[in-house]
Amino acid sequence: MSTRADGSGNGNLVEIENLRVWFPIKSGIVLDRHVGDIRAVDDVSFEIKRGETLGLVGESGCGKSTVGRTILRLYKPTSGRISFDGRDISKLREGELRPLRRRMQMVFQDPFASLNPRHSVGRIVGEPLRTHGLANRREAATRVRDLLRTVGLPADAAGRYPHEFSGGQRQRIGLARALALNPDFVVADEPVSALDVSIQAQIINLLEQLQEEFDLTYLFIAHDLAVVRHISDRIAVMYLGWIVEVSSADELYANPLHPYTISLLSAVPIPDPVVERSRESILLAGDLPSPANPPPACRFHTRCPYVQPTRCRDEVPPLRTLGSGHRVACHWAEQIKEGKITPHAVEPVLERPRLELPPAPPPV
């Protein structure tokens, strides 16, 4: 099993600084001409303290999953620094990464697609042990039974196949596989988004139980703000490859500062009909811009209900600290908080007009 060490003196297990992950766009007959880049992650910095859960939220396509996979080095970073337990891993080769992979695991979004349908559950959960040479066949079988009991599955599940289980049970199998090597850090990439609400609660409670039992550190990726609030110690809000706000979970929900966060929270239903009728949702104009051609300056200004004629379109907002540990990337956060700037309608950015076709000839 892994040996836990504290190589960082500041209590952070994971640190990323100025991380960029750009995917090239190729063109031409043989796809050899570089014509642009998909800026999936663009200059992102944050840290995850040992033993905490950092929630990473945002719309689909904003780069959340890319961040998680790059931290685990499933994707190669374009630039920036990734530090795990005080060690820079952003430029390590595969052979150097192999020992570290025992300490970093991932739970995938789709519990069925991430499990090999031709392998039994026992083989799936025990495969990490065999790959790293940590157990023989008998020891692996014993470890698999223990792991299955830990995640709430019967020991005889080891002889069955993924298609014989429900979605929630398959996600438990994925959790058992992630725990096989006793990791320090787990990236949970929307682990409950494909599950029913009642099953979501079971998996969230299981994640919290496992974190306490095994001293785990989580990066919890999701788009459901209610789920993120329940499990996270701190929350980072992401928009189009940027981190726009970071704070503790309670502070973010009580005092959101970035217009994007304010808009997201205004759409979260509240189980109180009186309060729900009295509040007004803030609707965002248009669609998420393309990460291949993001808007200049503040990337949110094309949809922002608080956009101003100055600075928003000309100056990149830095991620600055307001209050104790509350960071926000907005020029007007103080004025919005004080009510000096109120939301207003935004004209959506129109796409390129479609080609007008000539009318069809009359029938003969």
Side-chain angles (χ1 to χ4, degrees), residues 37-352:
D37 294 285
I38 301 292
R39 303 181 182 185
V41 179
D42 201 10
D43 198 16
V44 164
S45 300
F46 61 80
E47 67 286 332
I48 307 175
K49 299 183 184 300
R50 186 179 300 276
E52 81 165 349
T53 299
L54 176 69
L56 187 60
V57 300
E59 291 174 278
S60 297
C62 71
K64 308 183 300 296
S65 296
T66 304
V67 168
R69 290 168 183 251
T70 306
I71 292 175
L72 300 184
R73 285 298 311 274
L74 300 179
Y75 292 154
K76 184 178 180 181
T78 304
S79 64
R81 177 176 175 269
I82 305 170
S83 174
F84 180 77
D85 204 6
R87 181 182 181 185
D88 187 352
I89 66 171
S90 53
K91 295 181 175 61
L92 294 184
R93 295 185 294 271
E94 184 59 35
E96 298 171 310
L97 281 170
R98 188 178 177 86
L100 285 173
R101 294 204 183 280
R102 293 167 52 182
R103 303 181 59 194
M104 302 183 293
Q105 293 294 311
M106 187 165 190
V107 178
F108 295 91
Q109 177 177 358
D110 188 341
F112 190 69
S114 62
L115 303 176
N116 191 328
R118 300 191 177 198
H119 289 179
S120 67
V121 169
R123 183 173 178 181
I124 290 171
V125 177
E127 187 172 10
L129 297 169
R130 295 188 297 272
T131 299
H132 289 271
L134 298 179
N136 58 33
R137 185 172 182 177
R138 179 176 296 179
E139 292 169 342
T142 302
R143 174 67 173 161
V144 167
R145 288 194 296 270
D146 292 341
L147 287 168
L148 291 176
R149 281 193 291 264
T150 299
V151 299
L153 292 174
D156 62 2
R160 294 153 63 187
Y161 289 82
H163 71 273
E164 301 180 60
F165 296 89
S166 67
Q169 290 174 323
R170 286 196 288 263
Q171 197 60 285
R172 291 173 185 265
I173 296 169
L175 283 169
R177 179 177 59 182
L179 293 173
L181 298 175
N182 193 24
D184 295 331
F185 177 58
V186 175
V187 174
D189 186 9
E190 304 210 33
V192 298
S193 62
L195 306 178
D196 294 336
V197 174
S198 59
I199 306 301
Q200 286 183 8
Q202 295 177 18
I203 297 300
I204 292 297
N205 291 334
L206 177 60
L207 285 168
E208 293 181 324
Q209 174 189 333
L210 294 174
Q211 182 176 36
E212 183 176 351
E213 182 175 351
F214 294 99
D215 191 24
L216 297 172
T217 302
Y218 288 145
L219 174 63
F220 189 89
I221 299 170
H223 60 267
D224 189 332
L225 290 167
V227 170
V228 172
R229 181 180 188 179
H230 181 78
I231 194 172
S232 301
D233 300 301
R234 290 187 304 128
I235 296 175
V237 182
M238 198 167 182
Y239 180 81
L240 201 61
W242 277 6
I243 296 293
V244 297
E245 188 166 2
V246 183
S247 83
S248 67
D250 293 337
E251 170 69 13
L252 186 83
Y253 281 81
N255 184 30
L257 297 178
H258 195 278
Y260 181 57
T261 310
I262 295 172
S263 301
L264 290 178
L265 291 177
S266 74
V268 176
I270 297 176
D272 185 332
V274 176
V275 176
E276 188 67 25
R277 281 195 298 266
S278 63
R279 71 184 190 131
E280 182 178 355
S281 297
I282 301 175
L283 300 179
L284 298 180
D287 297 322
L288 189 73
S290 170
N293 185 27
C298 176
R299 294 188 176 182
F300 188 56
H301 80 258
T302 58
R303 306 172 70 196
C304 180
Y306 297 89
V307 65
Q308 299 299 301
T310 59
R311 301 185 73 184
C312 294
R313 297 177 175 88
D314 307 314
E315 185 180 339
V316 176
L319 188 63
R320 55 200 177 95
T321 301
L322 297 179
S324 58
H326 198 148
R327 290 180 286 171
V328 60
C330 178
H331 297 302
W332 309 100
E334 295 92 339
Q335 290 83 353
I336 293 172
K337 179 181 177 181
E338 296 169 2
K340 296 179 180 179
I341 298 177
T342 55
H344 52 81
V346 179
E347 289 295 329
V349 178
L350 298 178
E351 300 291 339
R352 183 184 304 173

Side-chain angles (χ1 to χ4, degrees), residues 19-30:
L19 181 66
R20 284 188 170 87
V21 186
W22 292 9
F23 298 103
I25 303 173
K26 302 287 187 177
S27 182
I29 297 177
V30 292

